[in-house]
């Protein structure tokens, strides 16, 4: 089975711009979660989608949003980028309950200048 | 709210020596516990997980962890490390059964460095 894929792998944006990141889960997985990883704050949960519905949300401002499509692929969007949004954004997929392992993609490295 | 504390930010050890990476958690409800490993420029890979049952959990690459409910700890151990174990290790918890929703709460990570 193919793993979780994320595109693009690297991205450079300017403050004030917006960005869309994409995640394709493992075939058959209906849950997709997003995490932000920074040296200062570590790994922080952004949100989780299951069957096109946001089921869980972390403590991030409304500039961070996401969606999930009927094929379980997910996108996250960050509007009005700030320097502090520079991070590794990780996507994880799973079958969808707490007992199930989350499989992580390689991440998208976003740099905001 | 749940929180996870990894007691050591960096752990240097010599090759073939034993290692223990410490993790404590706090939660008012039952949780599931996980250890993940992150190699440079890669995503996270699951090493092992504790859901229920035996408190000693064996994982991949020779790692094991022991769940201690009274001390709210989930320390990771390996009896003999290799150079290839150099990586960052994350302890995480997730809630039980909140409509099946998944949210991993991670510790700050422990950077394990193996010296020859």
């Amino acid at each position: 089975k193919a793993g979780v894929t994320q595109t693009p792998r690297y991205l450079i944006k300017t403050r004030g711009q917006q960005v869309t990141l994409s995640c394709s889960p493992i075939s058959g997985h209906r849950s997709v979660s997003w995490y932000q990883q920074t040296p200062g704050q570590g790994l922080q949960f952004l949100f989780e989608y299951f069957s096109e519905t946001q089921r869980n949300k972390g403590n991030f401002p409304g500039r961070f949003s996401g969606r999930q499509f009927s094929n379980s692929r997910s996108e996250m969007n960050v509007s009005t980028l700030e320097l502090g949004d520079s991070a590794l954004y990780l996507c994880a997929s799973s079958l969808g309950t707490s007992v199930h392992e989350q499989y992580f993609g390689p991440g998208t490295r976003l740099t905001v200048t | 709210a749940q929180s996870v504390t990894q007691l050591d930010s960096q752990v240097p050890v010599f090759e073939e020596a034993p290692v223990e990476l410490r993790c404590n958690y706090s939660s008012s409800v039952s949780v599931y516990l996980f250890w993940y490993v992150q190699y440079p420029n890669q995503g996270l890979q699951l090493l092992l997980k504790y859901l229920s049952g035996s408190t000693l959990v064996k994982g991949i690459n020779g790692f094991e962890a022991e769940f201690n409910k009274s001390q709210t700890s989930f320390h990771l151990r390996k009896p003999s490390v290799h150079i290839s174990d150099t990586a960052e290790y994350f302890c995480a918890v997730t809630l039980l059964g909140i409509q099946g929703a998944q949210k991993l709460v991670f510790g700050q990570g422990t950077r394990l460095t193996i010296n020859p």
Side-chain angles (χ1 to χ4, degrees):
Chain A
K1 257 185 189 178
V4 178
T5 57
Q6 293 187 244
T7 56
R9 291 292 312 276
Y10 302 91
L11 206 48
I12 300 175
K13 290 286 189 179
T14 304
R15 264 184 308 178
Q17 288 185 315
Q18 74 159 14
V19 67
T20 299
L21 313 181
S22 180
C23 172
S24 292
I26 291 171
S27 177
H29 285 188
R30 296 166 65 190
S31 167
V32 173
S33 299
W34 289 89
Y35 295 85
Q36 181 196 65
Q37 185 177 23
T38 60
Q41 299 298 317
L43 279 154
Q44 293 187 287
F45 172 78
L46 279 155
F47 29 66
E48 184 225 0
Y49 286 86
F50 182 82
S51 294
E52 302 180 66
T53 301
Q54 188 182 85
R55 197 166 60 167
N56 214 347
K57 189 176 188 305
N59 296 322
F60 278 81
R63 301 185 297 107
F64 291 82
S65 63
R67 59 178 175 168
Q68 187 180 34
F69 302 95
S70 58
N71 62 358
S72 294
R73 190 178 69 85
S74 176
E75 289 181 346
M76 69 163 279
N77 184 275
V78 188
S79 62
T80 320
L81 284 165
E82 301 177 359
L83 294 177
D85 297 333
S86 294
L88 181 67
Y89 290 89
L90 293 163
C91 162
S93 78
S94 83
L95 290 169
T97 70
S98 300
V99 301
H100 290 117
E101 174 184 351
Q102 292 192 34
Y103 293 82
F104 283 80
T108 294
R109 172 78 60 187
L110 172 65
T111 302
V112 182
T113 61
Chain B
Q2 304 77 36
S3 68
V4 178
T5 302
Q6 290 183 243
L7 296 159
D8 306 293
S9 59
Q10 295 187 62
V11 174
V13 297
F14 288 106
E15 195 172 15
E16 298 183 10
V19 71
E20 178 180 80
L21 305 184
R22 297 179 294 167
C23 172
N24 285 94
Y25 70 94
S26 67
S27 176
S28 57
V29 299
S30 297
V31 296
Y32 294 141
L33 295 153
F34 303 81
W35 275 99
Y36 281 86
V37 61
Q38 186 176 34
Y39 299 103
N41 299 316
Q42 293 188 29
L44 278 70
Q45 180 184 7
L46 182 70
L47 280 175
L48 46 80
K49 62 184 178 183
Y50 173 78
L51 304 180
S52 64
S54 172
T55 57
L56 184 62
V57 180
K58 293 192 183 299
I60 63 171
N61 301 341
F63 284 94
E64 62 181 32
E66 184 149 22
F67 170 61
N68 187 319
K69 189 173 182 179
S70 62
Q71 298 190 6
T72 59
S73 68
F74 190 54
H75 300 334
L76 180 71
R77 301 186 184 103
K78 186 168 182 178
S80 176
V81 295
H82 303 286
I83 293 284
S84 59
D85 292 323
T86 295
E88 186 124 22
Y89 292 78
F90 293 93
C91 181
V93 303
T94 190
L95 286 178
L96 280 175
I98 307 298
Q99 298 180 338
Q102 296 194 292
K103 172 186 174 181
L104 284 170
V105 176
F106 286 92
Q108 285 294 97
T110 297
R111 185 170 299 279
L112 177 62
T113 304
I114 312 300
N115 299 306

